[in-house]
Amino acid sequence: MNSNAVIAIHGGAGTILRASMSSGAEAEYHAALHAVLSAGQRILADGGSALDAVSEAVRLLEDCPLFNAGRGAVYTAAGTHELDAAIMDGGTLEAGAICCVKRVRNPILAARRVLESSEHVLFTGEGAEAFAAAHGLEFVEPGYFHTEARHHQWLLARDRQRAMLDHDGATLAGASSTNDDDPAPHEPIDPNRKFGTVGAVALDRHGHVAAATSTGGVTNKQVGRVGDTPLIGAGCYADDATCAVSTTGSGEMFMRMVAAYDVAAQMAYRQVSLEEAAHDVVMNRLPRIDGRGGLIAVDARGNVTLPFNTEGMYRGFARPGETPVTAIYR
Ligand code: ASP
């Protein structure tokens, strides 16, 4: 039995907008992170698997409208939602993922079903929804994913795209945050510079690691765009021999750097620690191509690291029997 069981989660990385932060909003984020960590912690304390802990944590994060996954997902350029998710079991190296789904309530549960019941790893769009339907997953009307805050954020991104190129983020965000019509003026992280993907990584008492990641993608993305999140090795990776990783950030750069797998590969080939490998990917390799964001990772010894190169990342970790630790800023 491994006594180092631990779960870590993230709710996305981004630029802090301190001017528009209220202590109430900050407390709400901490409470949401704390509740999700407590649920994951209970599963691990009861001897549950890392796979169960990460899928339940991400399911809860998807159901929470504060985060950009499931309910609360961002809008595409067509004013729709397209959701991506992936999950991987470090004990077996089995993986499942889905992308561009529009009506599956919990994309992470569909990804888990792909892992368990399919010879394939990744399904897209209609095929992914057909697979989910055939396996009895819950479907919702597209309106289920709508939140006023994300809709407003999309309208700003759509209408001010040109202006965004001409202004720095703080100016634009500052203007929007003082707008009386803004339904979400108190989000601690600048919604215009925020990556709200959610993810979880865990080590269970049996010594296995797992990772799960889920997202609505980036605001105003083109229809059919797929980011790093559902790609094994880019947004999600797990191998007992090295570590479990879930990422958040500018997906195109995380794809080009094969970011999640790179952490594991550096541990395997350079024989560096989890922390050193993760630090190198986030602080050295991603910035080379202007990759912004962060990741969470655990290894089979129970080490945890949560590096990010943005001003903040919603994050936390918990070990059975200990009080969960949550944080937003540096
Ligand atoms: N990585 C995600 C994507 O590019 C975005 C995020 O982390 O919020 O789809």
Side-chain angles (χ1 to χ4, degrees):
M1 279 285 172
N2 190 318
S3 57
N4 296 325
V6 62
I7 181 164
I9 61 172
H10 70 77
T15 300
I16 305 285
L17 193 60
R18 286 178 187 274
S20 72
M21 180 201 45
S22 76
S23 56
E26 196 177 343
E28 234 185 297
Y29 280 94
H30 279 289
L33 294 169
H34 193 283
V36 173
L37 285 168
S38 304
Q41 198 180 29
R42 269 197 302 278
I43 291 171
L44 296 174
D46 292 345
S49 70
L51 197 64
D52 281 345
V54 296
S55 50
E56 176 61 3
V58 169
R59 185 189 71 79
L60 292 168
L61 288 162
E62 286 177 342
D63 281 354
C64 176
L66 291 175
F67 304 105
N68 167 24
R71 190 159 162 252
V74 298
Y75 280 79
T76 68
T80 55
H81 297 97
E82 294 187 350
L83 313 174
D84 308 330
I87 188 163
M88 186 162 183
D89 182 343
T92 60
L93 299 188
E94 288 175 327
I98 49 122
C99 61
C100 289
V101 296
K102 297 179 174 154
R103 294 181 303 131
V104 178
R105 172 175 169 163
N106 290 110
I108 199 62
L109 299 185
R112 171 109 190 233
R113 195 49 77 93
V114 174
L115 179 155
E116 287 168 342
S117 312
S118 175
E119 59 181 317
H120 304 305
V121 169
L122 172 61
F123 284 90
T124 181
E126 276 177 30
E129 296 203 332
F131 178 90
H135 287 85
L137 282 140
E138 184 178 345
F139 276 60
V140 289
E141 289 305 315
Y144 165 82
F145 300 109
H146 166 88
T147 54
E148 274 309 309
R150 297 292 181 211
H151 190 248
H152 185 77
Q153 189 179 323
W154 170 58
L155 294 177
L156 280 178
R158 193 191 59 175
D159 298 346
R160 300 193 194 179
Q161 202 153 32
R162 182 171 292 276
M164 273 175 86
L165 296 173
D166 297 333
H167 295 77
D168 68 17
T171 306
L172 178 61
S176 70
S177 68
T178 52
N179 181 345
D180 289 344
D181 298 333
D182 188 341
H186 302 305
E187 186 166 33
I189 288 183
D190 174 356
N192 297 304
R193 294 288 185 91
K194 174 175 178 291
F195 307 107
T197 292
V198 306
V201 293
L203 165 68
D204 64 30
R205 295 211 151 150
H206 315 285
H208 298 305
V209 298
T213 315
S214 179
T215 192
V218 290
T219 299
N220 209 33
K221 67 183 180 182
Q222 286 187 30
V223 168
R225 177 266 188 190
V226 177
D228 58 322
T229 301
L231 302 184
I232 298 302
C236 180
Y237 191 72
D239 181 353
D240 285 359
T242 49
C243 60
V245 182
S246 171
T247 70
T248 171
S250 42
E252 282 68 13
M253 287 67 181
F254 281 68
M255 289 155 81
R256 287 160 57 195
M257 280 293 173
V258 201
Y261 180 70
D262 196 31
V263 178
Q266 291 205 33
M267 290 177 72
Y269 304 144
R270 289 179 55 217
Q271 277 154 28
V272 295
S273 68
L274 176 78
E275 184 159 1
E276 195 176 335
H279 184 274
D280 184 55
V281 169
V282 174
M283 302 302 184
N284 300 330
R285 292 181 57 75
L286 282 164
R288 271 174 48 201
I289 54 169
D290 207 23
R292 292 175 50 71
L295 60 81
I296 55 172
V298 300
D299 67 15
R301 293 191 193 148
N303 294 306
V304 179
T305 187
L306 311 100
F308 52 96
N309 61 28
T310 45
E311 285 171 48
M313 179 168 81
Y314 298 108
R315 63 197 186 280
F317 67 93
R319 300 180 190 277
E322 293 178 14
T323 308
V325 177
T326 61
I328 299 177
Y329 312 111
R330 269 187 198 287

